[in-house]
Amino acid sequence: MSKFTLHTIESAPEAAKDLLRNSEKSMGMIPNLHAVMATSPALLNAYQQLHERFTNSSFNAEEMTVVWQTINVFHDCHYCVPAHIAIAKSMGVDDDITASIKAGNELDDDKLEALRQFVLSMLKQRGNVADDVLESFYSAGFSQQHVLDVIVGIAQKTMSNYTNHIAHTPIDEPFKKFA
């Protein structure tokens, strides 16, 4: 098993230094995920851009959490599941949402459950979802924009989940209690 470097601003490649400064400024720390990604400034930059795009998408905080956590749980990401529990808490999302997704249970809210099911279908079918799946998603109150915004979320979380699998990224101290 190869060990990936957890970069600091000082040790990071030049092109990643400002990206890590941005992480520290916005999050109050450099998450280990970003510290690992800094080895590839292209990856860290793309991840940060997708994160910004997704957080400014058509989804509210609960819906973003459903997308993120459904992907994290599906990919069995040891790092992102607890990290996004903490993020959901900071966004004021009901703990029952993250607990249900983590346990693989249906969500009580029909619209959020439709979103969870759609994301699962996208992941399981690698984007080749059937028309009836799309129609169910639309019937729940979602639009074509939401479909495409789910793809942004999948791209973002695939980057982080795969990085964490390969790098065995250590969970940051603030997230450990949610592991």
Side-chain angles (χ1 to χ4, degrees), residues 65-122:
T65 297
V66 170
V67 173
W68 280 328
Q69 283 295 66
T70 300
I71 298 163
N72 293 335
V73 169
F74 181 84
H75 286 154
D76 194 25
C77 186
H78 75 282
Y79 180 94
C80 288
V81 171
H84 278 278
I85 291 171
I87 291 166
K89 283 182 171 299
S90 76
M91 295 188 322
V93 174
D94 186 333
D95 290 343
D96 289 343
I97 292 172
T98 55
S100 292
I101 294 170
K102 187 176 178 183
N105 296 331
E106 288 187 12
L107 299 172
D108 292 335
D109 181 287
D110 291 341
K111 185 174 182 183
L112 294 178
E113 178 58 19
L115 176 59
R116 187 180 80 86
Q117 288 299 325
F118 179 72
V119 172
L120 283 172
S121 293
M122 287 288 289

Side-chain angles (χ1 to χ4, degrees), residues 12-13 26 31 34 53 57 60 74 84 90 104 119-120 137 147 152 167 170 174:
S26 68
H34 296 205
R53 300 307 185 275
S57 71
N60 65 34
F74 181 84
H84 278 278
S90 76
V119 172
L120 283 172
F137 190 58
V147 170
V152 175

Side-chain angles (χ1 to χ4, degrees), residues 2 5 22-23 31 47-48 58 73 97 105 117 126-127 136 147:
S2 95
T5 302
N22 291 341
S23 298
Y47 179 78
Q48 287 181 344
S58 58
V73 169
I97 292 172
N105 296 331
Q117 288 299 325
R126 295 180 295 189
S136 291
V147 170

Side-chain angles (χ1 to χ4, degrees), residues 110-111 114-115 117-118 130-142:
D110 291 341
K111 185 174 182 183
L115 176 59
Q117 288 299 325
F118 179 72
D131 288 342
D132 64 319
V133 172
L134 278 172
E135 288 308 316
S136 291
F137 190 58
Y138 297 146
S139 293
F142 293 103

Side-chain angles (χ1 to χ4, degrees), residues 29 86 172-178:
M29 63 183 237
D172 300 284
E173 198 58 44
F175 307 146
K176 284 183 179 177
K177 64 184 171 191
F178 304 114

Side-chain angles (χ1 to χ4, degrees), residues 7-22:
H7 282 288
T8 63
I9 292 170
E10 294 74 32
S11 71
E14 195 59 41
K17 290 180 186 294
D18 283 342
L19 299 170
L20 289 178
R21 284 185 191 100
N22 291 341

